[in-house]
Amino acid sequence: MFDPSLITGTLVHYYVTCRREAWLYSRRIHADQWDENIMMGKALAEIKEEQLSQFPFSNLKFDRIGKQRGHYLVTEYKKTMKNPEGAKMQLLFYMWQLKTSLKLKEINGKVISGKKVLFVEGSAENIAKMEALIAEISAFLERPEAPPFHEIPFCKKCGYRDYCL
Ligand code: SF4
């Protein structure tokens, strides 16, 4: 079985967006590093880095964590929100990791992209959903080959499009 400890927030996002993308990424076949979207994402990440709270956990790369009315709030900034479900599950992955590692009682999150704000509740239901998703991703990544290419709307802005199309 694929080692679940190797799963990252990015991988979760990719899996929710396109399973083929997640498989390619898991095999270290990296997307076009000169892709405009990837370059903008990197530039954004570098600007924020100085303001980030550093956390001593592997696979965690969210933007900010703070306390609000007695509970923890994780914030993730995104250049675009082309897939809100992917953004939500990526953040929920970080929340799940923090909650289980630090045994936090309550943790919530929000994803900010321009004027759009997406709240992610750290409810027991959502945490269970994340645990089920991690098991599903681990099982999926066992497959020896990438799933076949099917064009989807996300292909237009995907860094793997030169590889797939
Ligand atoms: S180009 Fe399309 S099919 Fe290929 S990895 Fe990207 S989203 Fe998936």
Side-chain angles (χ1 to χ4, degrees), residues 111-126:
V111 185
I112 300 176
S113 177
K115 289 184 179 168
K116 281 190 215 158
V117 180
L118 182 69
F119 287 95
V120 184
E121 209 189 325
S123 60
E125 191 188 352
N126 275 347

Side-chain angles (χ1 to χ4, degrees), residues 18 20-21 149-150 152 154-155 158 160-161 164:
C18 168
R20 181 174 164 86
E21 185 178 22
F149 166 67
H150 291 295
I152 57 173
F154 295 120
C155 293
C158 176
Y160 287 104
R161 66 183 179 276
C164 290

Side-chain angles (χ1 to χ4, degrees), residues 61-63 74-78 90-91 94 110-112:
K61 204 171 182 298
F62 53 84
D63 298 331
V74 185
T75 306
E76 168 93 348
Y77 293 93
K78 291 237 170 263
Q90 180 172 3
L91 184 60
Y94 298 142
K110 61 181 174 179
V111 185
I112 300 176

Side-chain angles (χ1 to χ4, degrees), residues 32-81:
D32 180 4
Q33 297 303 301
W34 299 106
D35 178 89
E36 192 187 326
N37 291 304
I38 290 177
M39 284 175 74
M40 277 177 74
K42 275 186 175 170
L44 194 63
E46 276 161 25
I47 293 164
K48 285 179 293 170
E49 214 126 280
E50 288 147 34
Q51 310 148 4
L52 302 187
S53 314
Q54 294 297 325
F55 241 80
F57 291 98
S58 60
N59 294 346
L60 279 181
K61 204 171 182 298
F62 53 84
D63 298 331
R64 201 164 70 195
I65 183 165
K67 253 190 156 179
Q68 201 179 67
R69 291 189 215 100
H71 66 256
Y72 287 91
L73 184 74
V74 185
T75 306
E76 168 93 348
Y77 293 93
K78 291 237 170 263
K79 175 177 66 74
T80 60
M81 192 104 73

